[in-house]
Structures are given as structure tokens and as C-alpha cells.
Amino acid sequence: MLQSSTLRLLLPSLSPLTTPSLSYRFFCKPRTSHSLFTVLAFSSSSRPRRNAPFRHLGRRNNSSTRETRDRGKDKPMEKVDSVGFNKKRAEGRDSSGLPKKNLQLKVRKLNPVNTISYVQILGTGMDTQDTSPSVLLFFDNQRFIFNAGEGLQRFCTEHKIKLSKIDHIFLSRVCSETAGGLPGLLLTLAGMGEEGMTVNIWGPSDLKYLIDAMGSFIPNAAMVHTRSFGPISSTDESTILGQNKFSDPIVLVDNEVVKISAIILQPNHSEGPPLVTSENQSQERMSHSPDYLGSSNTLKQPNGKPGDMSVLYICELPEIKGKFDPEKAKAFGLKPGPKYRELQLGNPVRSDMQNILVHPSDVMDPSVPGPIVLLVDCPTESHLETLLSVQSLSNYYGDSMGNNVSCIIHLSPASVISCSNYQKWMKKFGSTQHIIAGHERKNIEIPILKSSARIAARLNYLCPQFFPAPGFWSLSNRSSSISDSSASREDSILEHCQTISAENLLKFTLRPYAHLGLDRSLVPDTVGTSETIEELLSQIPEVVEAAQHVRQLCLQSSQSKDDIPVVDRKILVEEPWLCADGVPSCLEDIRRDDLEIVLLGTGSSQPSKYRNVSSIYVNLFSKGGLLLDCGEGTLGQLKRRYGVDGADDAVRSLRCIWISHIHADHHTGLARILALRRDLLKGVPHEPVLVVGPRQLKRYLDAYQRLENLDMQFLDCRHTTIASLEAYEHDEPDKNDKEMTAPKIDSTLFAEGSRMQSYFKRPGSPTNKNVVYPILKKLKRVMQEAGLESLISLPVVHCPQAFGVVLKAAERVNSAGKVIPGWKMVYSGDTRPCPELVEASRGATVLIHEATFEDALLEEAISRNHSTTKEAVEVGDSANAYRIVLTHFSQRYPKIPVFDETHMHKTCIAFDMMSINIADLPVLPRVVPYLKLLFRDEMIVDESDDVADVASTAF
């Protein structure tokens, strides 16, 4: 856990923070049983007050803070242009004062004799098959991680697996499937301790492409020591060395407790330009440039991307010599002295009393053999051909002398494992224990993230209208056939091998040797939905009555609008988009298959047990869909919401992906989504998907596409602002005038002479108009095909190149021939309240606004350019938005954030997997009291999540 001094290092612009009390509860538990109405009224009464230290959080002297403090709680939001913000952070200059950390690798005391060691499965490809399984190799004072797919950090948080002693991360392949969780993991490790964490990342030589790509949004990348090995691309004929086999193990780590080696598996394709290995390099580099380890060999470049390389890892624990027995030595006529030492070193000596030669085995207990673990990732049958030809593996087969391969963990997919050649290869290892950790469809029936699944089940019971049952629950009827098919494939292997399917937290003990073998003691129990609901009913009996009321509310809303309050006639005159009953005219005769907003991730900074990071799926049903932000784990969340097949359909039909800014919690799930879409549409005529984002994101995607093709087209958010779109609309491309910069931003906050004008108009790279114009035409066409009139980005105040977005649906004609205006949806991204956003939200049907902090943490919100819950609601009120949805909560609020009910008359709190159909908007705010009931006994502030959230300065 971070110390307070560490917080001061991470937030240099703030004075020392006074840590508030974190032990209060938002809802006081009733002393006696009450009816539902009594409980709801009780929970809505006066709130506990914050302790005094909150009033002194982050006291600063800058004028913007004083303006905010002087604004007063009751002043109207029309003065939003006076809201304070951290200009240095908005301009990307807030980290310049950070002291440099000691970036040296820690020297750990390792003892191979009395150590505890095991390998453990950390997520069997998650429960939704969206990522690669991770494996932990554990020693007392050192940890090794193999693969870091999306969700790894969240899984470790869920199961209290500490990451502080991870020194090495190994990738079996360099792609989004195996490394999607790496950015978040590195950012977390970078924030640990006074001097920070340093970590070695090992992978094939194409690892440099991945690290180069991440460099644009990981500020502490210098703490990453990249260590590449294997063949490298080269077109220089003079660098081609002698032709040798590249199948010998490359030693990566060799210390007192383990020796880790790697064997490269290249797919067996036709020949192409050569790959050559560099000479051995022992120098360690503190940059993105990797070290290359290997022998002087040559390998042919396959027809494909560099990311096609795969790795087989060999982990060998040293033999532990038996204990020296002095009594046996005396019996052989030896006197205490140097000869005892020689025997312990393994050398025979002559007896002092007898004319015999004494061997070490005569006076020492039997040695304890060193276990060996293999991790095999053979992704395709083309790689399998290479695997079968690796001669150096013959030393580990069952009939070889001294073979101690105790366990093989197979990361290969079921399609490869089921191949007869692969199974024949498995049989060569004799009695070795095989753990099958590749994707299996039955994984989806057992949620890995149990805490969030428990919350989802409770919310679904209370309000299924907004919290539908997760998609994979509907597969229970098909589970038998799925299990049977999986079992039939495994049975053929079981006939000759000791094989077991991987389970979460399954261990294979390596030391002490007496306990060698499988250990299922930590495998979590399976808790079904029925058990979760039984627990809920026993804890909160009133929830039964509450669920009935929520269902009645939704039913009344769908049948009539009599229960919707009529608004003031004066407002109706000013807001012609409102009907007489206060409902927007765009909702007249609205269909349920018009729009659904699915909040896939509602937390900030990093994933937690209960909230994933930012992502919103805009479901337009038969017209496709859009993603607004795409944080780590977005694909997994889609699959939990719609099921595996349903999520594939959603990804396949994506029209556009819009990214608000470069912070990792908003886009590190993007590559996995794009890679899946590419695979799903392989062989099908299609267009690359449009990705609209800040220009820094393009640098990341360009670097990443050297690793694997993402099948996308990029468009800078700056070219989708109103000013830009209008400029392009009236200015056809001219062959004689190709280069241009982004059009001038004409707005109150970013206008000439404003505080932010110098930042936003900072010169950028010239833009080729003839390149941008066709993409803008494509965007317009794609939006029209999706039933949308426009997608417009707007600059907001958070960090360099941060944006919000406005989606406007096209007009439609009802059955009576009446023209009905289209709905308008606004998403703030991360921002301080700003007039740009207020203006863009005028008459919005739905405003989704970040509300990272509670009202008591206003100054922290200012320092980090986020909004409080009250400020977010005031933005919506000022713009007369019909409905406001608050999201992007600090992870210090693990389940439900702190908010003031007086501001919630048209506002709702977002939860992961919350699905808001546009037809249900009228009833949306009325479910909030019932949601509060559901969490009445929950702690609002979680200290560990609080510290972790503040630590991540990159967000």
C-alpha cells in the first residue's frame, strides 16, 4: 500500500494531503425491521458528514481554486466558465516536477533449499475466452508471470494476489491476446513503493513493437527493462549468418532458484526475407530498446506479421543435494576437516582410517531432483509442425535419462490440442502431469470475476429492465452438449496421459518435493445465481417488495405517461423540444430497437473488483453499434453482457470506435477488439472500421500495426469538431493545396486570448487534406447507415487532446406521417465542467458525464481535472438535458458512490453492465432509491482502492 509520502510524490502540485477517515458508512443500518417505504425514507434522510480533514484536502493558492471555492454551493451553473481547473495537467506539464525514482532492479535473497515454489493458473483465458491464460511461477521472494492478458490485474485484485514481488514477465506471443493487460499492470507496478517497481519483460524480438507502441501513454516506461530474444527482421544481406537450426533453448534467467529457457516456434510458411539473430548482448538498457539474446542463427521470415512468433518456456529448478551425515563419514574412517567439504562438493576422497575411496553417495542423503515445468503455446497447426521438429526437447521426453518434467501447462487452443500429432507429442513425456489451460467454452459458465458477477446478479433481481441477465447465463441449457464435446476430446488424451483441465487458482506444487503435485485447495467454490439471490433475500428482505415496485414502475412507464410530472410551462416555451408532459419529443413513438446504451465499464484509473474501466457500447441493433472509449477488458464485458456469440456479432457489426483521450484506462482494450473483428471478418468483404481518437492514439496504433494488422482507419478527433466539419463541408480537397492544419477552434474556452487557446492551437503535424477528406466522407456515410445524423467531437478540459462527443440521431417519420426529431446523446469523456460541454449538451436526451469524485473532494477534482457528482449534475441542469447518467467513479467507491439526493431528480448512477434502453428513459431516475436500498449496508469508501486510484498519475 502506498504511504502518504508516496502520494505527495505522485501529486507534486498539491500540498501534503490529510488522510480522511475512511470508516464511515453511507447508510446507517436500521436497528429493527422496517417496511420497504420506511427503509427508503430512512436511507434518503440526512447524510453523515465528512470529518474535518476533508475541508483541508489539497489546499492550494492558485486563483482557479479560489474562484471555485468562492462560487458557493448555490450559485447557478451559468458561471461555469469560472470553474477552476489544473492548467498544467490540461497542457501535459504537470509531471515535470516528479522526482526521479531509483530504477535499479531489486536484489532479492534467494534460498533454493528451504523455499516454497509452485505454478498457479491465474485466469483460464478469463470466463469469456477474450484473453490468454496467465500463469504465476511462485518462489518465496520472487515471482514470475507468464502472459498478461486483459483482466489479469482485476483477477489479482479479486483474489488478493500481490504483485509487488514480480520481477519478470514473460510473453509466449506478442499480441493483444497475451499482452492486453500489460499497460495497466506496468502502471500499477510503477506506482508501488517509494522508489517504484522495475520489471523485466521478456518476449520474442517483436516485443520492441509493443513497447514502442505503449511508450506514448506510459510515462514510467523507463522502469521497464525489455529483454528480447530470437530472430529479428533484416533485409541486409551482409547480416545473414550461417544457416543453423534455431531450436536450441535460449537461457533467459539462471539464478539460485530457477533456470528459465525459451524455444522459438515459428509457423511453417513459405520462405521470405530472412530473420537473423543478433549477437549476444548482456548490456541492460533503460529504454524501449530491447536487449537481444540468442545464438548466431538464421531463420526464414514467414509470410505474416512479426507477432506470429510463439515461445515454449522451460522452467528448471535446481537439484537439492542430500544432507551430509557426519556419522556415516566417521564409519568410513574419515576425520572432520577438509575432506568433509570435498564430499559435500561432490568429490570422492580417500578414507583416513581405511584403504578405501569414499564417494559422496556413501555419506550423504539422496539428492532431491529439480522439477521441470514446460509452458507450451502452440497457437496453430503451422506452429505445431515446428514444435514436432524441435530436437532439443528430446532431452525432456519420458525415456530420456534424468527426465524430471513434472508438469506441462498447455496454453495451446483446443483445436490444436485435439490434433493427433499434438497428442502423440504429449505422450512422449510419459507420466508427466498435463494441465490444459487453453480456451474452453465451458469456462463461461463459471464467472471468474465473482464479486462483479455477484453484484450483477443482485441488480438483475432488483431491476431486470436495466440490468439484464448476463448473456452466458442463457447457455445453461447447452452446457451438457458443450461439456460432452470437450470431454470427448480430452478422453482420447486421458487414455495415455495424466491430463486435467485448468481451473482458476489451481496449483502445482514444486517445492517442498514431498508435496509435489496438484493442489486444488485454493480453487474457488462455484457459487450460482440462486445462492447469490438467497443471500440477498436473507440480508435485505425488503428487496422482494422493492423488486415488485420497480417492475410496476417500468410497466406503468411503458403503458402510459400519467405518472410523469408535468414541467413548468415557462420551461416548455424555452425548450420546444419538450412535449407537454415533459418528455422529449424525440421519444414519441420510440421503438425499443432504436437505441440501447450499455455501460461496460464505469470506474476510473484501473479495473477493480466491482467496476471495470471506461467503455460504453451504443447498440443501434440492426444498424450496428459504436464504442465510446474502450478500456482494458471491454471485450470481456461485451461477452458477459451478450454472451460469446452475441459479443462476436456486436464486434463484427461495429460502425465506429471513438476514443476520448490517450489515458490508458480509456483505450487499452482497443487492440483486442480490433484484432477480434479482423479475425471474425476474415474472408468476408468488409471495410476497415473507423477509429476516431486523439492524434497521440494514432502513434500507438501505427506502432502496434507493425505487430499485427488491426484492419482500421484512423481519424483525428480534431477533424470531427463542428468547425472542422464545416470547413471540410465547404472546402473540397484541392490537389494543389494538400497540406493543412486543424481548423481554428471558435469557442468560449478555447477561443483567441483564452487560458486554453495557447494549448489547443499548439502547432501539430500538417494534415494532408486529400487523405482526411475521404475518411470524413466515409464517416458521414457510416453514420447515415447507422441512422445517425452526426458524430461531433468537442475539446474538454482534462489533459492534452481530450474530447467529448455528441451523437445525433436522424429524424424519423411515425406511422401518421409526423416528423419526429432524432435523439441526442452526449458523452463527456474525462473533464472539468466547461462551457463547451454545456453548450454541446443543450437539449440532450441523455448526457453521460464523468463524476469521478464526491462533492467533498472538490479540490482534488480540480487538481486532476475531473468533476464531482454535483458538478456533473449541474452541467446537465444548465444544459436542460433530459436525463443525466453519472459514470467514471473513483475506485475508492467500490460499489456505489457518494452523492446528494437533492440533485438526483433526473439523474442515475451507472453500474457495470447497466443497459439503458431509450424507451425506458422516463423511469430511469426513479430506480435510484431502490439501488440505494440494495447497497444500504455497504462501505462507501474502500481504503485500498482509494490509494490505488490516487497512485495512478497517468490517468
Side-chain angles (χ1 to χ4, degrees), residues 738-804:
K738 292 184 178 181
E739 291 191 351
M740 62 165 294
T741 56
K744 178 182 177 181
I745 302 298
D746 183 16
S747 63
T748 55
L749 186 63
F750 298 91
E752 187 73 30
S754 70
R755 301 182 283 187
M756 294 290 290
Q757 187 267 346
S758 60
Y759 146 66
F760 194 79
K761 296 209 59 192
R762 186 179 300 163
S765 301
T767 300
N768 189 324
K769 186 189 301 185
N770 291 327
V771 172
V772 173
Y773 188 81
I775 303 178
L776 282 174
K777 286 189 67 175
K778 177 181 176 179
L779 175 65
K780 184 176 182 179
R781 173 177 56 80
V782 167
M783 292 297 104
Q784 289 175 345
E785 292 172 354
L788 300 178
E789 180 181 292
S790 61
L791 179 153
I792 299 173
S793 302
L794 62 138
V796 294
V797 181
H798 179 59
C799 69
Q801 296 295 311
F803 294 88

Side-chain angles (χ1 to χ4, degrees), residues 870-936:
K870 181 180 178 181
E871 287 177 323
V873 173
E874 286 179 332
V875 169
D877 284 342
S878 298
N880 284 310
Y882 176 62
R883 290 291 179 255
I884 306 166
V885 179
L886 303 184
T887 187
H888 196 267
F889 303 112
S890 166
Q891 301 290 16
R892 73 186 69 200
Y893 316 117
K895 295 180 182 178
I896 191 169
V898 178
F899 60 90
D900 188 338
E901 281 190 60
T902 59
H903 304 294
M904 304 300 289
H905 61 284
K906 60 179 180 180
T907 305
C908 190
I909 300 297
F911 294 85
D912 280 19
M913 303 300 181
M914 188 175 193
S915 300
I916 304 173
N917 194 287
I918 191 169
D920 296 327
L921 285 178
V923 76
L924 181 62
R926 305 183 66 181
V927 304
V928 173
Y930 299 94
L931 299 180
K932 289 179 60 179
L933 168 69
L934 195 63
F935 298 102
R936 71 179 187 188

Side-chain angles (χ1 to χ4, degrees), residues 617-637:
Y617 176 58
V618 180
N619 185 9
L620 302 173
F621 297 92
S622 62
K623 297 177 182 177
L626 292 79
L627 276 173
L628 306 181
D629 279 337
C630 191
E632 178 186 339
T634 292
L635 178 57
Q637 296 290 84

Side-chain angles (χ1 to χ4, degrees), residues 100-169:
K100 291 185 178 180
K101 294 183 178 181
N102 177 13
L103 303 180
Q104 299 301 313
L105 286 172
K106 292 180 173 61
V107 178
R108 304 190 186 277
K109 295 181 180 179
L110 306 176
N111 181 3
V113 178
N114 299 317
T115 191
I116 295 174
S117 178
Y118 55 82
V119 286
Q120 187 174 30
I121 306 297
L122 303 183
T124 53
M126 299 308 290
D127 49 352
T128 50
Q129 310 175 36
D130 58 297
T131 188
S132 174
S134 297
V135 178
L136 169 69
L137 175 58
F138 177 95
F139 294 95
D140 291 331
N141 291 314
Q142 199 168 35
R143 315 281 191 271
F144 302 87
I145 290 282
F146 294 85
N147 286 346
E150 292 185 24
L152 173 61
Q153 184 178 200
R154 196 177 185 194
F155 179 90
C156 292
T157 301
E158 171 95 6
H159 297 286
K160 296 181 172 59
I161 296 173
K162 294 184 178 180
L163 303 174
S164 58
K165 292 184 179 180
I166 294 176
D167 288 339
H168 300 270
I169 299 172

